[in-house]
Amino acid sequence: MTDNASPDLHAPAPPDDLSGADTTDFGYRAVLREEKKPLVRAVFDSVANRYDVMNDLMSLGVHRVWKRIFNAELAPQPGLKLLDLAGGTGDVTFGWLAGGGGPAIMTDINVNMLSVGRDRAISRGFVSDLSFCVVDAEQIPLPDRCMDRVTISFGLRNCTDKMAVLREARRVLKPGGRFLCLEFSRVQVAALAPIYDAWSFKVLPAMGTLVAKDRESYQYLAESIRMFPDQETLADMFREAGFTQVRYTSLSGGIAAIHSGWRL
């Protein structure tokens, strides 16, 4: 790609800093911290029934491959307990159970999203060793050291206090437990970046208008990805939260990444 490429291929530049003592980012907007959760809830209320279609659109279906890699990294075992934060429509939880994992708790802060996941679980026969709970990942209502695995996939970037989520995940893990995060990340292949930007900021919102009659939610989702910490920054946040043996794997040139850390 040359310097003479059309400017339409480039994403609008994110603001330098939208966070302060009382504010945080909602996409490229600065909002009061207490306003973000209701705004995010409204986005996912809007897209809940089309969430899987949304993920297919955002990733051209590749999110399914990413989740298979993620579930393989989880290494399900019958004696291990899973807490799936921001569980959405259940792909990670179902992968855990289908892979032979032990009891799972599927959670989401959004009731509509959790309802879709529950209905999908019933239709797939995942009714034993599975419970559902509306949970704010920043304040997990579980005792210390009670879970073997904690996961969050495509949910951390929507949280107001990401460090609180990481600390809570560590708190509820048993010693020897592991936390894994799958999230959109920072593209690391230069030739891919302008194409990805055009897809995110031109094509995706237009598709959102056609498929879900909701351009604004898809615009927010594209912006939220750009505001999320890059791979190294998120790894540093894991370490700051107390995780050890922190590592990450970039997927599809950095469009997504899997981060993990252990509580030892």
Side-chain angles (χ1 to χ4, degrees):
M1 188 65 60
T2 69
D3 292 339
N4 294 322
S6 167
D8 287 341
L9 289 179
H10 297 282
D16 291 335
D17 186 12
L18 293 181
S19 60
D22 300 317
T23 61
T24 189
D25 62 277
F26 177 72
Y28 285 179
R29 291 166 50 195
V31 299
L32 294 174
R33 295 182 71 83
E34 62 267 23
E35 291 178 344
K36 180 166 181 174
K37 287 179 185 178
L39 288 168
V40 170
R41 186 175 295 114
V43 168
F44 285 92
D45 281 343
S46 173
V47 304
N49 290 326
R50 297 179 176 88
Y51 182 72
D52 293 317
V53 174
M54 179 192 74
N55 276 342
D56 282 332
L57 290 175
M58 292 181 72
S59 70
L60 293 177
V62 181
H63 75 99
R64 300 175 187 276
V65 177
W66 297 339
K67 286 173 181 173
R68 285 199 292 271
I69 296 170
F70 188 69
N71 277 306
E73 186 73 16
L74 268 175
Q77 297 179 38
L80 301 182
K81 298 178 182 178
L82 170 71
L83 171 65
D84 187 14
L85 300 171
T89 55
D91 286 345
V92 170
T93 300
F94 303 157
W96 170 265
L97 294 171
I105 304 174
M106 181 177 158
T107 75
D108 203 288
I109 196 172
N110 186 285
V111 175
N112 288 342
M113 290 290 294
L114 196 62
S115 295
V116 173
R118 179 200 60 206
D119 292 345
R120 290 185 74 208
I122 293 170
S123 70
R124 286 161 172 74
F126 293 119
V127 290
S128 61
D129 289 333
L130 175 57
S131 55
F132 304 87
C133 188
V134 176
V135 167
D136 181 345
E138 297 173 23
Q139 297 176 310
I140 301 172
L142 290 174
D144 297 353
R145 304 183 178 193
C146 64
M147 306 303 297
D148 300 288
R149 297 286 184 272
V150 178
T151 57
I152 187 167
S153 59
F154 303 117
L156 185 58
R157 74 180 188 282
N158 298 307
C159 296
T160 304
D161 189 342
K162 297 171 182 58
M163 282 301 304
V165 176
L166 300 183
R167 292 189 179 105
E168 279 289 273
R170 184 182 183 279
R171 178 185 65 80
V172 301
L173 278 171
K174 299 175 183 177
R178 192 181 185 198
F179 174 53
L180 293 97
C181 170
L182 170 62
E183 187 55 89
F184 288 107
S185 196
R186 196 65 51 87
V187 172
Q188 297 176 317
V189 179
L192 180 60
I195 300 170
Y196 182 55
D197 286 344
W199 176 261
S200 299
F201 289 95
K202 301 295 181 182
V203 179
L204 185 60
M207 283 189 173
T209 301
L210 291 172
V211 174
K213 312 302 181 187
D214 184 353
R215 182 184 183 90
E216 290 186 1
S217 292
Y218 286 75
Q219 183 75 27
Y220 157 73
L221 291 165
E223 292 175 356
S224 70
I225 294 168
R226 299 316 192 279
M227 297 300 296
F228 191 68
D230 63 21
Q231 288 91 329
E232 287 291 346
T233 302
L234 185 57
D236 287 340
M237 291 171 66
F238 269 55
R239 297 182 187 100
E240 183 180 346
F243 289 104
T244 60
Q245 298 183 24
V246 174
R247 64 185 183 90
Y248 66 84
T249 302
S250 290
L251 305 171
S252 301
I255 291 176
I258 297 171
H259 283 71
S260 66
W262 296 84
R263 175 173 184 168
L264 300 180

